[in-house]
Amino acid sequence: MGSYSDLNTPERILLGPGPSMVPPQVLRAMAHPVMGHLDPQFLTVMNEVQDLLRYVFQTKNPLTLPISGTGSAAMEACIANFIEPGDRILIGVNGYFGERLCDMASRYGAVVQRLDKPWGEAFDPQEIEDALRKQPAKILALVHAETSTGALTPVDGMAEIAHKHGALLLVDCVTSLGGIPLKIDEWDIDIAYSCSQKCLSCPPGLGPLTVGARAREALHKRKTKVPNFYLDLSMIERYWGEEHAYHHTAPISMNFALREALRLVQDEGLENRYKRHQQNANSLWKGLEDIGLKMFVPLQHRLPTLTVVTIPEGVDEADVRKRLLNEYNIEIASGFGMLKGKVWRIGLMGYSSRQENIDLLVSALARILAK
Amino acid sequence: MGSYSDLNTPERILLGPGPSMVPPQVLRAMAHPVMGHLDPQFLTVMNEVQDLLRYVFQTKNPLTLPISGTGSAAMEACIANFIEPGDRILIGVNGYFGERLCDMASRYGAVVQRLDKPWGEAFDPQEIEDALRKQPAKILALVHAETSTGALTPVDGMAEIAHKHGALLLVDCVTSLGGIPLKIDEWDIDIAYSCSQKCLSCPPGLGPLTVGARAREALHKRKTKVPNFYLDLSMIERYWGEEHAYHHTAPISMNFALREALRLVQDEGLENRYKRHQQNANSLWKGLEDIGLKMFVPLQHRLPTLTVVTIPEGVDEADVRKRLLNEYNIEIASGFGMLKGKVWRIGLMGYSSRQENIDLLVSALARILAK
């Protein structure tokens, strides 16, 4: 085996579905000297991270913390802790992450009821209510912002329907938290999870989640042990709570980064941040339309944080992405699953959501597509 | 909620059971701008991390990679992927991490056979062979270096016994990898896992593991789906392999850090590193004995990476640790489980294993204990 030299990586303009670009303050926070995970000063950092997460989730839920893994780990924590073998879960599937929820839930022994819809469309309250009326479930799971399609399913009002039929509402907020309005308490969402690397602009590696009183009670009433040690919330909440009972060693540096990223969200203010994401999305959509491109999702359900663009006839989509990366240092993403080869996915999330990035991308795309 | 200022954390001398201190080069690598997880340049980093992990594990196993979670996640990956309901596992329990293996294995439906031994003692090949002869198992799990007790169980020769009785050998190398000799291929170990934050001196957040051909075949022959999505190695190996099939988003910055930490191990050379850890441990033991302290583990089975010290009669152990932290900025750890209140745990791992740290600790302890 060879001998390696220092890390030498380029600085990219990250306009894919995540990770988004990370502000220099967050990179600097991550480079702070590491401390022990039970050091009183680190316990303060943990409390601050939880307090700031409650701010971005707009909740008072005590059980609000980052899982020590990526968004996929937080997603699995939300399934593993609330499903017992034989429990019914109704999952809205209108993209890849709905599919993934079905896969995960079935691994934990759930009876999965799929509610399918073409990729790119959104669910409305009526069809959810109809499905629950036909067959009640313990959990109703919806993807707020589908990262695979760019479609937004409004979740305000869904909790009322879920609760009426005795279900808990679980929401995937991976591509919405910190970028578009999401009000856990006001909308009465029981369980929600997200990731660090999208609209929060922290590097990937942590998975924020929040659990409300109703769901917490269900967790404490489980008849069986959670069949997953690492993601067992009854242990994790004791580690993050007053007791600080050892469960694993928190990723210290990643928590430094998350604290700083969340602090920057608080500095900007959530409302300002939502406005910035929406305004920059409008600007991107206009820019792309001006050079003849079409958006995949109708305006009504289109996510501002992740724009999915239909690839024009006769264009080699992979070549365009390759040229963007190699000639302009810009990353955008391909479609996947049933949208593979049909769309590009362009993220404007967190620190990446800036007018200068839009201008760079649109002019680069115009030049590449003209040839 | 209040408004927060910049992160302001102290620089500690970390002499606990991990995290150990992180070299400035590793902190700098972690602060590199983030890039996409499918960026060709990040794929290169992934390949380099795997190559360097094979060096520290002393293996050619293709399936060698860091789990995107802490050492506890890597431990669980090694259980979740190799246990199917009803499988027998023989676990050597001589400390807390043996207990944890029992807990995890039972969550996955294993029939757990415990081989108990007092905390602080080590297993010898004969008693393992006797246990397997009495009742064969699919997996024999041993903790190489028990972080809760400071005892080392030699694992050279254990694979032969396991294989003779049809078992795979699984080894916990959390407190040994990169600090004391560990030869996966030469010792024919089938499955091994570790963490990033101990003898490798990378921050916590990644869990290196390696799987040999025999175990990989067992993985591919499973009859049931792995009941854990995030840790499903058949998916993770496709993400880390040639195909780079999407499974989750790798923690980019943590992988930058791990690459640099491993590169520093390679620069020093494994043999030199083992020697440094042993010499510094000898120096610490002498220093502690000189001030009247006694080691908990007999020399024969004493770990050089983590020294467990018996607390002298009449000493308020928590007060001593508090004074070390507040007056000298030094972290050491308490005992836990059945050693709570009875011992201190002092780590000399990776970048923390330096003579100046030993001198600082011993003189500070002498001063505190004299009063």
Side-chain angles (χ1 to χ4, degrees), chain A residues 1-2 4-6 9 12 32 39 51 70 76 100 107 226 228-230 232 247 249 259 263 266, chain B residues 1-2 4-6 9 12 32 39 51 70 76 100 107 226 229-230 232 247 249 259 263 266:
Chain A
M1 133 180 174
Y4 291 110
S5 57
D6 275 33
T9 51
R12 302 293 199 197
H32 269 235
D39 191 307
D51 192 25
T70 70
E76 186 148 10
R100 175 177 289 194
R107 289 178 195 237
V226 177
N228 187 317
F229 177 93
Y230 193 63
D232 185 336
H247 172 259
T249 302
R259 180 196 178 280
R263 195 180 74 77
Q266 188 198 30
Chain B
M1 131 179 177
Y4 290 109
S5 57
D6 276 32
T9 52
R12 302 291 199 197
H32 269 234
D39 191 308
D51 191 25
T70 69
E76 186 147 9
R100 173 177 291 194
R107 288 179 195 238
V226 177
F229 177 93
Y230 193 63
D232 185 335
H247 172 259
T249 302
R259 179 195 179 280
R263 195 181 74 77
Q266 189 196 31

Side-chain angles (χ1 to χ4, degrees), chain B residues 30-47:
Chain B
M30 201 162 35
H32 269 234
V34 165
M35 55 170 61
H37 70 126
L38 298 174
D39 191 308
Q41 300 238 24
F42 185 69
L43 303 185
T44 299
V45 171
M46 290 171 87
N47 290 338

Side-chain angles (χ1 to χ4, degrees), chain B residues 18-74:
Chain B
S20 59
M21 297 172 86
V22 174
Q25 299 98 312
V26 175
L27 294 175
R28 277 202 301 273
M30 201 162 35
H32 269 234
V34 165
M35 55 170 61
H37 70 126
L38 298 174
D39 191 308
Q41 300 238 24
F42 185 69
L43 303 185
T44 299
V45 171
M46 290 171 87
N47 290 338
E48 291 171 349
V49 165
Q50 290 186 280
D51 191 25
L52 287 160
L53 278 179
R54 287 183 198 109
Y55 170 71
V56 297
F57 272 123
Q58 303 196 49
T59 184
K60 292 198 165 61
N61 288 339
L63 183 40
T64 302
L65 49 80
I67 291 292
S68 299
T70 69
S72 300

Side-chain angles (χ1 to χ4, degrees), chain A residues 76-96:
Chain A
E76 186 148 10
C78 291
I79 293 294
N81 286 277
F82 299 100
I83 289 290
E84 292 190 80
D87 283 345
R88 289 186 177 273
I89 182 169
L90 173 66
I91 301 176
V93 183
N94 59 342
Y96 173 77

